[in-house]
Amino acid sequence: MNIINGKTGWIEVICGSMYSGKTEELIRRIRRTEYARQKTQIFKPVLDDRYDSEHIVSHNQLKEPSQQVNSAREILQLLEEDTQVVAIDEAQFFDIGIVDVCNQLADRGLRVIVAGLDQDYRGLPFGPMPQLLAVAEYIDKPKAICVICGNLASRTQRLTRDKDTIMVGAEDIYEARCRDCHEVLD
Ligand code: ADP
Ligand code: ZN
C-alpha cells in the first residue's frame, strides 16, 4: 500500500555514458519544477568548468544557472530554507559524502535529482555513482548512439591513451560507443 502524505522526499538518478542526454534530461526535469512553482537549486562540482562555471550546459546547448561547489558538504551550507528541489549535475566528480548529503535532503522531504556518468572510460563504476544508485528511489539510464555502429551506446570511449580516471573534456577526447565497439586503449 502506498501512503502519500505529501511530505516524502526522494532521490532520482539519471546516469549513462557521455552524450546519453543526462544533462538534457536533468534540465527538462528542472524546467518542469519551475512550471510547478517549486524552488529549485542546481549544483555542480568545481571540476566541471569546461563550458561555463555558472551554468549546467548540455551538449545540445541547453543551459540553466547553477552554483559550483568544492565538496558535497557545501551543498548543505548553500541550501536555502525554502528550496524544495535540489538538482546535481556531474555527480561522479563528487566525494563519497554526496551520498549522505542526498540522503539527508531526501529525508528532509526534498526531491533530489542527480545526473552523472555511471562508468568511467574503462567501463568501471565511477566515483560515488554506485552508492547513489543503491539509495535512489528512481533510476533512468538514457543511452547515446554508438558513433561506430549506430547501436545504443552505454560506454564512453576515450580517444587518447591517458590513464587518469578524471580528464575533463568533450568531443575532442570522448565519444559514445556500445559495449561491442568500446575498447580500453593501452
Ligand atoms: P550527457 O549529459 O549525457 O553528456 P547531454 O545531455 O549533454 O548528454 O547531451 C545530449 C545531446 O548530445 C543529444 O541531444 C545530442 O544532441 C548530442 N549528441 C552528440 N553526440 C551524440 C551521440 N553519439 N548520441 C546521442 N546524442 C549525441
Ligand atoms: Zn557500436
Side-chain angles (χ1 to χ4, degrees), residues 145-153 176-182:
I145 301 298
C146 174
V147 298
I148 305 292
C149 74
N151 279 326
L152 292 179
R177 294 208 191 167
C178 71
R179 182 183 281 274
D180 277 349
C181 299
H182 178 257

Side-chain angles (χ1 to χ4, degrees), residues 16-25 57-60 89-90 117 142-147 153 171 175-176:
S17 69
M18 277 183 76
Y19 312 106
S20 63
K22 299 182 298 297
T23 305
E24 199 179 348
E25 175 60 20
V57 184
S58 71
H59 290 105
N60 56 345
D89 201 10
E90 304 290 354
L117 288 165
K143 307 281 184 296
I145 301 298
C146 174
V147 298
E171 286 84 354
E175 62 188 27

Side-chain angles (χ1 to χ4, degrees), residues 12-15 20-34 40-45 48 55-58 60 62-66 85-91 94 111-116 140 142:
E12 298 163 36
V13 174
I14 307 162
C15 66
S20 63
K22 299 182 298 297
T23 305
E24 199 179 348
E25 175 60 20
L26 183 65
I27 291 173
R28 189 184 77 89
R29 293 185 195 183
I30 291 165
R31 291 185 177 171
R32 289 170 64 91
T33 70
E34 288 161 9
T40 301
Q41 278 186 269
I42 308 170
F43 297 99
K44 69 174 188 171
D48 180 51
H55 295 83
I56 56 168
V57 184
S58 71
N60 56 345
L62 300 174
K63 64 177 181 174
E64 284 287 323
S66 63
V85 181
V86 168
I88 301 168
D89 201 10
E90 304 290 354
F94 275 102
R111 175 183 178 194
V112 184
I113 320 172
V114 185
D140 285 285

Side-chain angles (χ1 to χ4, degrees), residues 116-144:
L117 288 165
D118 49 1
Q119 299 171 26
D120 66 15
Y121 74 100
R122 294 163 296 189
L124 299 176
F126 208 142
M129 294 304 289
Q131 282 80 359
L132 283 170
L133 287 164
V135 298
E137 273 86 354
Y138 306 101
I139 296 168
D140 285 285
K141 270 200 167 203
K143 307 281 184 296

Side-chain angles (χ1 to χ4, degrees), residues 24 73 77 89 110 113 152 158 163 166 173 177:
E24 199 179 348
R73 291 278 136 204
Q77 288 155 13
D89 201 10
L110 277 77
I113 320 172
L152 292 179
R158 182 179 283 179
K163 297 283 183 282
I166 299 177
I173 342 182
R177 294 208 191 167

